[in-house]
Amino acid sequence: MSEEVLYETLSEILLEKSKPKIMKGSLVLGCVDVSSVDEGQLQILDESLNFKSSQKESKEYVKQMSNFGMKFGIPFPALDPVHNLYVYPTMANFTSYPAKYGKAKNILARVYFLKTDNDTDIRSRSIPAIFGRSSSPAFIDVIQLAMVWNNRRPSFMDEVKIKLPYYVTSSYHILFSFHNINMNKNKEEQDRTLGYAVLPIFANERIIDDSTHVISITKSLVKAYLTNKEQDYVDGPNALKNPQTVLHVSTRLNSSLFSQDKALNDFVKFNHVDIGKNKKLWEELLHVDRREIIKFFPIILNSIFDHMIDQPSKDNQQLAFRTLAKLVDIINTETRSPTTTEKYYYNPHLTAYVEYKLKNSCSSSSDSGPTFNVIIVQWSILLSESGLDPEVRKLADLMIDKYSYFYFQCIIKSMTLHLNDNDLLQAPRDQRLTKSQLSSITNLIEVFGGLVSSERVTRSFNRHLAYFFVELFDVIDRGYVFTLINRYLSHLKEANEMRLSLDLFKVITDYEHYIPLCLPIQTPVDTCESLLIKFWKNHYLSGHLLNIILTISLDKSSNKEERKANRRRAIKVLRNVLFKHEFDPRYQIISDRKLIANLYIPQLRTTVLLLEKIIKTEEKQDWLACFLHILCWADPALIRQWLFMESAQNRWQFLRSLGNCITTFKDKPGILEMSHTVTIWLEYFMRDFHKELHKEENLQHIEILSQYILTLLKIVKDEYYLFYLHLTIRNLFFRFRLHIFRRSTSNFTLDCCFELLSHSYDLSDTLARGSLSLLYSMMKANYFENGEFLRMKLALTVAASKLTTEQIKTLPYICDNFLCYTRADSSPGLDWELHVKDLMGRLYRISVYTLVISDQSYNNELRIDVIKELADECNHSIDLRIKYLQQLAKEHEKHKNFLQVGLCKVTAAGIISKFLKMKMKDECPPLPSQPACYSDIVPNIIYELPVRSMSVIEVLSPGISETGYFSLLDEALEAFQTAQLFELALVVTKILYDYNLSMGRYPKLSDIGVKISNWGKKAATIIQAESRMFSNFYRVGFYGKKFGVDFNQKQYIYCVPPSERLGDLTARLLSDYAAELECEVKTLPNKPVEELVLDPEGHYLQIISVDALMPHRLHQSFKKEFTTFEKQFGTWEFGIQVPYNPDGGPPSDEVERQWKLRTIFSTEKAFPSTQSRYRVIQTRTEIVEPIDSAIDLLSSRIESIKKELGQVPPNTKTLQIVLQGSIMLQVNVGPIGICKVFLSKASDYDAKKISKLRAVLEEFLKKCKFALAFNKSLLSEQPGGLDPQMQAHHNAMTEALEKVMVEATHYISLNQ
């Protein structure tokens, strides 16, 4: 890798133009030497660093890159020791070189770094401080520039880098020697010296400037040539007598020791002098190049502090302080990254200065005191005078808003150093500072307070002041710090700046010794009104925090959104404080936690008063988290003492707050701790206020209390806690049995039964027995309280139906336990055991059906079948029947079977209407309750509507009503619309129309009429367009022992969505049954099973696509044409046709021998239905003669043409395809072939069939003729296109058919 490539790559990296690349080669990095530095020189060398030279001379590849501080870079203080000089010789002029000294043509230059001028032997005085090139050692004593040939005015491109010593005197200089190279001369003449140029490094007490220097070239050197007057470069005896013989050289210093700025050097030299006599130096200091200020700012700031302390005049100190403030602004502005967006920005350079560089100065000749006192006093003066001068105010506002943290840090650091230097850190806190120093601090805080009223205090300053208070806690008397805090807070309160007060305490509460400062001692509760005030007096910090939260929460001075935001901030502060207490390792003992939580008991009352106003969930979580923490750890006796003194309204609000805790945190981590705390306090509440709860006006709170306990029972599964909760529930039943079983209108009993049944499966045997025992106690309590058992029957039945598959397996075990309890219990009446047995039988049947579902959960059809069987089994319970029908509808909806969804809804509505008719009799509204009213929607409704009379006495859900009936019909309408079955939607709408007409609700009739009109139009449009796809039907045969008695050797008709084709259904059933039977399931070909050889141990499915046959009722209709939906609706017969040869051979291709075998399957119920499959109960076969097959073929072509003619808008492409297949048929036998076979031999066939064939042919020709004319009207004239060809084929076909049809007509007339 060449030197040029390396320089280019590294420079691009420095300029951030490219990312570093991996390149071949090695790079050796070394540390520069750092030696002692003279005190008199300007220095910025970190005293904590102690570098030693560790670099050895090596021939490895050495490069050191320096950043000279490009304009786009961010300046950085010079904290690393650097002292390098870069020399750039640009041009030497030898055009006027005297000829007597020889020619100056091929010029070579050498550069030396020398310490003395007392010897003319250059090599002996040369210092190896020049950085070497790649092929040379790390440091060399001479470097040779690139030689320029045949040019008396050579230009140089080399860079010479010199490592300067840290102590530089005026004798250090750079020497350039120039030589003429002539390779044609002898050895002595080859390298002839032309002259020398000298560049001093340190002259006039200043380091060399960064500029371009023009140096005269002298012929020779003499001793002491730097100071010898005869060694004049221009006019001396050794000069070349021509000012044009010069060297142009540029220099650049990269040093952390020397500045290039004169004003900065003068300011550093100036020390301990009256500022008033040298104001010019201070003014010039602010105009120094800002990069130089940044580079050397630590020494500048220390010098300013020294000057401030040494000045006897307050005015001079103020001048220095204002200069300091301006310099701090310059430092922050120049070093802050433009991308920084931090809200509270701490300049890292300023904070590093305070931590590592700030010195504590204290002058014996001045009474100003240490550094911190001077800062405090001068800051107070500046802020006090800021109202008189706009420029001073601007400076003061900068100090307050942006840089207050820096001055506070300087005060604390200086104060700590002062105490340490004077051995005061071990002294008592109240004796560490003098009265005057404390008075200065108090005065500064008062000045800050005065700024509050003028709205000059910002949040950033307030935060920095809070950290200042926290730091003072560790340094001086804490009681005095309390007075400072109190003074400042009083100003904030007067200005109504409670948000700033909250921000202040947000920082103070982070103090590591915050708890001891709060004095956590027991405080008795006397009255509710003075609760907060008393705690405030005994616990200053925590009481102040709670008072701020209460004040902010009750504040009404600001707008609504601002009040909410302030309230959220306030509670978050308290939440964070309690969170830190919770995990503080110093306070993990329970007694300590109790004392700490007692500090915040007044917050309970604040929460009770304000919780109803809080709507947003996130904020409510914070309030309730604090509420729960205090309830969990505080002394219960103190809280109960407070509750007894509270008003009744606040006590009920406390109860609702407990419920809010449950609803808010039921899905959050830590639910067990929350539940335990809430349960304890619900128990306390029932125990302490049971008399008030029994009052008539407070019965609603029993409902609330029971719902809270029920919610806890639902969400918590911990066994220890549930054992305790069971006791609480028993206590609830014991105290409030009358209300729960007689007056309650909620589902508490039902939900409680479900949870206890669930626990009997999910938990240990001990808790399971406890749950069953509690259930049995509830049953007895209900029986004794009401004298009947219907409520618990319904509750347990519905609860059992809600159990999961695994849970319901325990129902037989539960039934056995209840029967055992009943036999052993002799206290109830004689009919008690009968009631229990009836209930247990019902639960057992439900468990059996549900277990069937669980075993076949992956089989959609069987799931639907069993859900329907469950609905049929629960015919004694209207509520459960409706529930299972709704579940069946959801199951269909999951598979997007919206037709079946609507059928389930209508069936449920019919059951409700029948039930209401039985229950209300003459008072029942005129709802249709007979099966005939719904048969046009649900073909199998006759099997669903019988309702048992015992259902009338059950307690039902609100959905079993007139409103629920119409709600189900509306849902059915929505499902039918989704399925685009507007015919059924119209029938449902007719029911609604008849009802509203009978009730005289004429305004609704108008809306229904609009719906009928719209749906009628949609039905007509969609029927004409034939754009709907209807269900597919398949016959599935099951063969194999593992299929069970209900399926083995049985056939079923499956009704599946139109998107599920034969291959999809086959794959799904094979997968489902293979998983169910845990064996391989194969498919059988479409042949009679008797002809196949089956493995007795194998399992097979035979799946065949079948067509729905038109119901018999349509054959008796006066309509001649039926829609596809009408042909499928209400059918229970399905058929399939296969080619057939009566002789037993293969099917023939000849038309007159194309026999077909039609197989017809009859199901037990009609389709469509709420179920997706029915068993085949009858199978019969029919033989179709060839002439009948021909009639069917022509009929299918006619239907295809009709469909295309009915398209809106017409589709010319598909119309032409159908016409080509009908008129221009070439592959299969067309109409001409059929006529020639059958009509030409009409005497060989039945005259009725010939007549039917002739009629079909006539219809076919008419349709083709009309379709051709219609197609021609749609298309523009296209010579040579398909339309003339089709017309020609049609003419030929018509001519041929007419001849044959004449003969057939004669035959028919003879036979008639």
Side-chain angles (χ1 to χ4, degrees), residues 1200-1224:
S1200 299
I1201 296 173
K1202 284 182 180 179
K1203 181 178 179 181
E1204 290 303 322
L1205 292 176
Q1207 290 284 347
V1208 180
N1211 190 331
T1212 56
K1213 287 187 177 181
T1214 56
L1215 178 58
Q1216 289 189 24
I1217 292 172
V1218 172
L1219 284 174
Q1220 291 177 44
S1222 301
I1223 299 173
M1224 302 174 63

PDB file of all heavy atoms in Angstrom, residues 1200-1224:
ATOM      1  N   SER A1200     -77.777 -23.624 -20.680  1.00  0.00           N
ATOM      2  CA  SER A1200     -76.560 -22.813 -20.828  1.00  0.00           C
ATOM      3  C   SER A1200     -76.837 -21.569 -21.657  1.00  0.00           C
ATOM      4  O   SER A1200     -76.356 -20.471 -21.337  1.00  0.00           O
ATOM      5  CB  SER A1200     -75.450 -23.651 -21.482  1.00  0.00           C
ATOM      6  OG  SER A1200     -75.119 -24.767 -20.687  1.00  0.00           O
ATOM      7  N   ILE A1201     -77.598 -21.737 -22.734  1.00  0.00           N
ATOM      8  CA  ILE A1201     -77.917 -20.579 -23.575  1.00  0.00           C
ATOM      9  C   ILE A1201     -78.784 -19.587 -22.804  1.00  0.00           C
ATOM     10  O   ILE A1201     -78.586 -18.371 -22.868  1.00  0.00           O
ATOM     11  CB  ILE A1201     -78.622 -21.041 -24.869  1.00  0.00           C
ATOM     12  CG1 ILE A1201     -77.664 -21.908 -25.711  1.00  0.00           C
ATOM     13  CG2 ILE A1201     -79.096 -19.841 -25.683  1.00  0.00           C
ATOM     14  CD1 ILE A1201     -78.318 -22.540 -26.928  1.00  0.00           C
ATOM     15  N   LYS A1202     -79.760 -20.099 -22.047  1.00  0.00           N
ATOM     16  CA  LYS A1202     -80.604 -19.219 -21.231  1.00  0.00           C
ATOM     17  C   LYS A1202     -79.772 -18.409 -20.247  1.00  0.00           C
ATOM     18  O   LYS A1202     -79.991 -17.204 -20.042  1.00  0.00           O
ATOM     19  CB  LYS A1202     -81.641 -20.054 -20.468  1.00  0.00           C
ATOM     20  CG  LYS A1202     -82.797 -20.555 -21.303  1.00  0.00           C
ATOM     21  CD  LYS A1202     -83.763 -21.321 -20.401  1.00  0.00           C
ATOM     22  CE  LYS A1202     -84.947 -21.845 -21.168  1.00  0.00           C
ATOM     23  NZ  LYS A1202     -85.872 -22.602 -20.267  1.00  0.00           N
ATOM     24  N   LYS A1203     -78.817 -19.067 -19.641  1.00  0.00           N
ATOM     25  CA  LYS A1203     -77.974 -18.387 -18.648  1.00  0.00           C
ATOM     26  C   LYS A1203     -77.194 -17.243 -19.284  1.00  0.00           C
ATOM     27  O   LYS A1203     -77.095 -16.147 -18.725  1.00  0.00           O
ATOM     28  CB  LYS A1203     -77.012 -19.395 -18.002  1.00  0.00           C
ATOM     29  CG  LYS A1203     -76.104 -18.794 -16.945  1.00  0.00           C
ATOM     30  CD  LYS A1203     -75.224 -19.851 -16.322  1.00  0.00           C
ATOM     31  CE  LYS A1203     -74.304 -19.244 -15.274  1.00  0.00           C
ATOM     32  NZ  LYS A1203     -73.411 -20.267 -14.668  1.00  0.00           N
ATOM     33  N   GLU A1204     -76.651 -17.474 -20.477  1.00  0.00           N
ATOM     34  CA  GLU A1204     -75.877 -16.426 -21.138  1.00  0.00           C
ATOM     35  C   GLU A1204     -76.782 -15.285 -21.596  1.00  0.00           C
ATOM     36  O   GLU A1204     -76.399 -14.114 -21.529  1.00  0.00           O
ATOM     37  CB  GLU A1204     -75.111 -17.004 -22.329  1.00  0.00           C
ATOM     38  CG  GLU A1204     -73.978 -17.931 -21.941  1.00  0.00           C
ATOM     39  CD  GLU A1204     -72.977 -17.251 -21.030  1.00  0.00           C
ATOM     40  OE1 GLU A1204     -72.691 -16.051 -21.232  1.00  0.00           O
ATOM     41  OE2 GLU A1204     -72.468 -17.915 -20.103  1.00  0.00           O
ATOM     42  N   LEU A1205     -77.972 -15.627 -22.047  1.00  0.00           N
ATOM     43  CA  LEU A1205     -78.893 -14.576 -22.493  1.00  0.00           C
ATOM     44  C   LEU A1205     -79.372 -13.724 -21.311  1.00  0.00           C
ATOM     45  O   LEU A1205     -79.769 -12.572 -21.498  1.00  0.00           O
ATOM     46  CB  LEU A1205     -80.093 -15.200 -23.219  1.00  0.00           C
ATOM     47  CG  LEU A1205     -79.793 -15.864 -24.566  1.00  0.00           C
ATOM     48  CD1 LEU A1205     -81.043 -16.523 -25.118  1.00  0.00           C
ATOM     49  CD2 LEU A1205     -79.249 -14.843 -25.566  1.00  0.00           C
ATOM     50  N   GLY A1206     -79.354 -14.294 -20.128  1.00  0.00           N
ATOM     51  CA  GLY A1206     -79.804 -13.542 -18.958  1.00  0.00           C
ATOM     52  C   GLY A1206     -78.732 -12.725 -18.270  1.00  0.00           C
ATOM     53  O   GLY A1206     -79.007 -12.055 -17.271  1.00  0.00           O
ATOM     54  N   GLN A1207     -77.493 -12.759 -18.763  1.00  0.00           N
ATOM     55  CA  GLN A1207     -76.405 -12.004 -18.135  1.00  0.00           C
ATOM     56  C   GLN A1207     -76.651 -10.506 -18.275  1.00  0.00           C
ATOM     57  O   GLN A1207     -77.000 -10.017 -19.341  1.00  0.00           O
ATOM     58  CB  GLN A1207     -75.058 -12.353 -18.791  1.00  0.00           C
ATOM     59  CG  GLN A1207     -74.556 -13.748 -18.503  1.00  0.00           C
ATOM     60  CD  GLN A1207     -73.997 -13.862 -17.094  1.00  0.00           C
ATOM     61  OE1 GLN A1207     -73.767 -12.861 -16.426  1.00  0.00           O
ATOM     62  NE2 GLN A1207     -73.802 -15.084 -16.644  1.00  0.00           N
ATOM     63  N   VAL A1208     -76.453  -9.779 -17.179  1.00  0.00           N
ATOM     64  CA  VAL A1208     -76.580  -8.317 -17.184  1.00  0.00           C
ATOM     65  C   VAL A1208     -75.302  -7.737 -16.576  1.00  0.00           C
ATOM     66  O   VAL A1208     -75.051  -7.943 -15.387  1.00  0.00           O
ATOM     67  CB  VAL A1208     -77.801  -7.856 -16.360  1.00  0.00           C
ATOM     68  CG1 VAL A1208     -77.889  -6.327 -16.386  1.00  0.00           C
ATOM     69  CG2 VAL A1208     -79.074  -8.471 -16.917  1.00  0.00           C
ATOM     70  N   PRO A1209     -74.497  -7.047 -17.414  1.00  0.00           N
ATOM     71  CA  PRO A1209     -74.616  -6.819 -18.853  1.00  0.00           C
ATOM     72  C   PRO A1209     -74.207  -8.073 -19.620  1.00  0.00           C
ATOM     73  O   PRO A1209     -73.554  -8.964 -19.077  1.00  0.00           O
ATOM     74  CB  PRO A1209     -73.634  -5.666 -19.094  1.00  0.00           C
ATOM     75  CG  PRO A1209     -72.599  -5.850 -18.046  1.00  0.00           C
ATOM     76  CD  PRO A1209     -73.316  -6.373 -16.834  1.00  0.00           C
ATOM     77  N   PRO A1210     -74.543  -8.164 -20.881  1.00  0.00           N
ATOM     78  CA  PRO A1210     -74.211  -9.373 -21.674  1.00  0.00           C
ATOM     79  C   PRO A1210     -72.697  -9.544 -21.795  1.00  0.00           C
ATOM     80  O   PRO A1210     -71.955  -8.576 -21.871  1.00  0.00           O
ATOM     81  CB  PRO A1210     -74.859  -9.095 -23.037  1.00  0.00           C
ATOM     82  CG  PRO A1210     -75.852  -8.022 -22.791  1.00  0.00           C
ATOM     83  CD  PRO A1210     -75.340  -7.198 -21.667  1.00  0.00           C
ATOM     84  N   ASN A1211     -72.264 -10.798 -21.836  1.00  0.00           N
ATOM     85  CA  ASN A1211     -70.854 -11.132 -21.983  1.00  0.00           C
ATOM     86  C   ASN A1211     -70.684 -11.806 -23.347  1.00  0.00           C
ATOM     87  O   ASN A1211     -71.022 -12.971 -23.534  1.00  0.00           O
ATOM     88  CB  ASN A1211     -70.405 -12.057 -20.853  1.00  0.00           C
ATOM     89  CG  ASN A1211     -68.914 -12.238 -20.837  1.00  0.00           C
ATOM     90  OD1 ASN A1211     -68.241 -12.168 -21.854  1.00  0.00           O
ATOM     91  ND2 ASN A1211     -68.376 -12.472 -19.641  1.00  0.00           N
ATOM     92  N   THR A1212     -70.173 -11.068 -24.308  1.00  0.00           N
ATOM     93  CA  THR A1212     -70.082 -11.578 -25.675  1.00  0.00           C
ATOM     94  C   THR A1212     -69.133 -12.755 -25.781  1.00  0.00           C
ATOM     95  O   THR A1212     -69.343 -13.675 -26.588  1.00  0.00           O
ATOM     96  CB  THR A1212     -69.625 -10.455 -26.623  1.00  0.00           C
ATOM     97  OG1 THR A1212     -68.381  -9.926 -26.143  1.00  0.00           O
ATOM     98  CG2 THR A1212     -70.658  -9.337 -26.668  1.00  0.00           C
ATOM     99  N   LYS A1213     -68.076 -12.771 -24.976  1.00  0.00           N
ATOM    100  CA  LYS A1213     -67.096 -13.861 -25.058  1.00  0.00           C
ATOM    101  C   LYS A1213     -67.720 -15.187 -24.683  1.00  0.00           C
ATOM    102  O   LYS A1213     -67.653 -16.175 -25.427  1.00  0.00           O
ATOM    103  CB  LYS A1213     -65.900 -13.562 -24.160  1.00  0.00           C
ATOM    104  CG  LYS A1213     -64.988 -12.474 -24.696  1.00  0.00           C
ATOM    105  CD  LYS A1213     -63.743 -12.356 -23.830  1.00  0.00           C
ATOM    106  CE  LYS A1213     -62.795 -11.303 -24.404  1.00  0.00           C
ATOM    107  NZ  LYS A1213     -61.562 -11.190 -23.596  1.00  0.00           N
ATOM    108  N   THR A1214     -68.348 -15.228 -23.497  1.00  0.00           N
ATOM    109  CA  THR A1214     -68.943 -16.495 -23.053  1.00  0.00           C
ATOM    110  C   THR A1214     -70.138 -16.878 -23.907  1.00  0.00           C
ATOM    111  O   THR A1214     -70.397 -18.074 -24.135  1.00  0.00           O
ATOM    112  CB  THR A1214     -69.357 -16.380 -21.578  1.00  0.00           C
ATOM    113  OG1 THR A1214     -70.259 -15.261 -21.437  1.00  0.00           O
ATOM    114  CG2 THR A1214     -68.159 -16.144 -20.681  1.00  0.00           C
ATOM    115  N   LEU A1215     -70.877 -15.902 -24.432  1.00  0.00           N
ATOM    116  CA  LEU A1215     -72.013 -16.201 -25.303  1.00  0.00           C
ATOM    117  C   LEU A1215     -71.530 -16.890 -26.582  1.00  0.00           C
ATOM    118  O   LEU A1215     -72.120 -17.884 -27.037  1.00  0.00           O
ATOM    119  CB  LEU A1215     -72.776 -14.922 -25.631  1.00  0.00           C
ATOM    120  CG  LEU A1215     -73.972 -15.073 -26.584  1.00  0.00           C
ATOM    121  CD1 LEU A1215     -74.994 -16.057 -26.022  1.00  0.00           C
ATOM    122  CD2 LEU A1215     -74.612 -13.722 -26.855  1.00  0.00           C
ATOM    123  N   GLN A1216     -70.444 -16.403 -27.164  1.00  0.00           N
ATOM    124  CA  GLN A1216     -69.921 -17.019 -28.378  1.00  0.00           C
ATOM    125  C   GLN A1216     -69.391 -18.426 -28.094  1.00  0.00           C
ATOM    126  O   GLN A1216     -69.530 -19.336 -28.920  1.00  0.00           O
ATOM    127  CB  GLN A1216     -68.814 -16.151 -28.975  1.00  0.00           C
ATOM    128  CG  GLN A1216     -69.322 -14.866 -29.595  1.00  0.00           C
ATOM    129  CD  GLN A1216     -68.245 -14.140 -30.357  1.00  0.00           C
ATOM    130  OE1 GLN A1216     -67.280 -14.765 -30.798  1.00  0.00           O
ATOM    131  NE2 GLN A1216     -68.405 -12.836 -30.525  1.00  0.00           N
ATOM    132  N   ILE A1217     -68.788 -18.611 -26.939  1.00  0.00           N
ATOM    133  CA  ILE A1217     -68.278 -19.947 -26.597  1.00  0.00           C
ATOM    134  C   ILE A1217     -69.428 -20.949 -26.503  1.00  0.00           C
ATOM    135  O   ILE A1217     -69.358 -22.082 -27.023  1.00  0.00           O
ATOM    136  CB  ILE A1217     -67.493 -19.883 -25.281  1.00  0.00           C
ATOM    137  CG1 ILE A1217     -66.194 -19.076 -25.485  1.00  0.00           C
ATOM    138  CG2 ILE A1217     -67.165 -21.289 -24.766  1.00  0.00           C
ATOM    139  CD1 ILE A1217     -65.442 -18.804 -24.202  1.00  0.00           C
ATOM    140  N   VAL A1218     -70.536 -20.549 -25.856  1.00  0.00           N
ATOM    141  CA  VAL A1218     -71.686 -21.440 -25.727  1.00  0.00           C
ATOM    142  C   VAL A1218     -72.302 -21.719 -27.094  1.00  0.00           C
ATOM    143  O   VAL A1218     -72.686 -22.862 -27.415  1.00  0.00           O
ATOM    144  CB  VAL A1218     -72.719 -20.826 -24.763  1.00  0.00           C
ATOM    145  CG1 VAL A1218     -74.009 -21.653 -24.776  1.00  0.00           C
ATOM    146  CG2 VAL A1218     -72.150 -20.755 -23.357  1.00  0.00           C
ATOM    147  N   LEU A1219     -72.384 -20.699 -27.947  1.00  0.00           N
ATOM    148  CA  LEU A1219     -72.959 -20.895 -29.279  1.00  0.00           C
ATOM    149  C   LEU A1219     -72.095 -21.823 -30.130  1.00  0.00           C
ATOM    150  O   LEU A1219     -72.608 -22.684 -30.862  1.00  0.00           O
ATOM    151  CB  LEU A1219     -73.123 -19.544 -29.975  1.00  0.00           C
ATOM    152  CG  LEU A1219     -74.311 -18.685 -29.490  1.00  0.00           C
ATOM    153  CD1 LEU A1219     -74.287 -17.324 -30.145  1.00  0.00           C
ATOM    154  CD2 LEU A1219     -75.624 -19.395 -29.783  1.00  0.00           C
ATOM    155  N   GLN A1220     -70.769 -21.623 -30.052  1.00  0.00           N
ATOM    156  CA  GLN A1220     -69.879 -22.519 -30.791  1.00  0.00           C
ATOM    157  C   GLN A1220     -70.057 -23.954 -30.332  1.00  0.00           C
ATOM    158  O   GLN A1220     -70.066 -24.901 -31.128  1.00  0.00           O
ATOM    159  CB  GLN A1220     -68.429 -22.081 -30.608  1.00  0.00           C
ATOM    160  CG  GLN A1220     -68.087 -20.764 -31.288  1.00  0.00           C
ATOM    161  CD  GLN A1220     -66.661 -20.358 -31.005  1.00  0.00           C
ATOM    162  OE1 GLN A1220     -65.762 -21.187 -31.063  1.00  0.00           O
ATOM    163  NE2 GLN A1220     -66.455 -19.087 -30.711  1.00  0.00           N
ATOM    164  N   GLY A1221     -70.173 -24.162 -29.004  1.00  0.00           N
ATOM    165  CA  GLY A1221     -70.350 -25.510 -28.494  1.00  0.00           C
ATOM    166  C   GLY A1221     -71.689 -26.113 -28.841  1.00  0.00           C
ATOM    167  O   GLY A1221     -71.861 -27.336 -28.810  1.00  0.00           O
ATOM    168  N   SER A1222     -72.665 -25.266 -29.171  1.00  0.00           N
ATOM    169  CA  SER A1222     -74.005 -25.778 -29.489  1.00  0.00           C
ATOM    170  C   SER A1222     -74.206 -25.949 -30.987  1.00  0.00           C
ATOM    171  O   SER A1222     -74.835 -26.918 -31.441  1.00  0.00           O
ATOM    172  CB  SER A1222     -75.071 -24.820 -28.933  1.00  0.00           C
ATOM    173  OG  SER A1222     -74.925 -24.685 -27.545  1.00  0.00           O
ATOM    174  N   ILE A1223     -73.686 -25.014 -31.787  1.00  0.00           N
ATOM    175  CA  ILE A1223     -73.956 -25.013 -33.227  1.00  0.00           C
ATOM    176  C   ILE A1223     -72.819 -25.629 -34.018  1.00  0.00           C
ATOM    177  O   ILE A1223     -73.032 -26.404 -34.955  1.00  0.00           O
ATOM    178  CB  ILE A1223     -74.219 -23.569 -33.702  1.00  0.00           C
ATOM    179  CG1 ILE A1223     -75.446 -23.007 -32.987  1.00  0.00           C
ATOM    180  CG2 ILE A1223     -74.414 -23.508 -35.210  1.00  0.00           C
ATOM    181  CD1 ILE A1223     -75.685 -21.540 -33.253  1.00  0.00           C
ATOM    182  N   MET A1224     -71.581 -25.290 -33.640  1.00  0.00           N
ATOM    183  CA  MET A1224     -70.401 -25.721 -34.417  1.00  0.00           C
ATOM    184  C   MET A1224     -69.707 -26.894 -33.743  1.00  0.00           C
ATOM    185  O   MET A1224     -68.482 -27.000 -33.746  1.00  0.00           O
ATOM    186  CB  MET A1224     -69.433 -24.544 -34.561  1.00  0.00           C
ATOM    187  CG  MET A1224     -70.054 -23.330 -35.234  1.00  0.00           C
ATOM    188  SD  MET A1224     -68.969 -21.883 -35.237  1.00  0.00           S
ATOM    189  CE  MET A1224     -67.620 -22.500 -36.226  1.00  0.00           C
TER     190      MET A1224
END
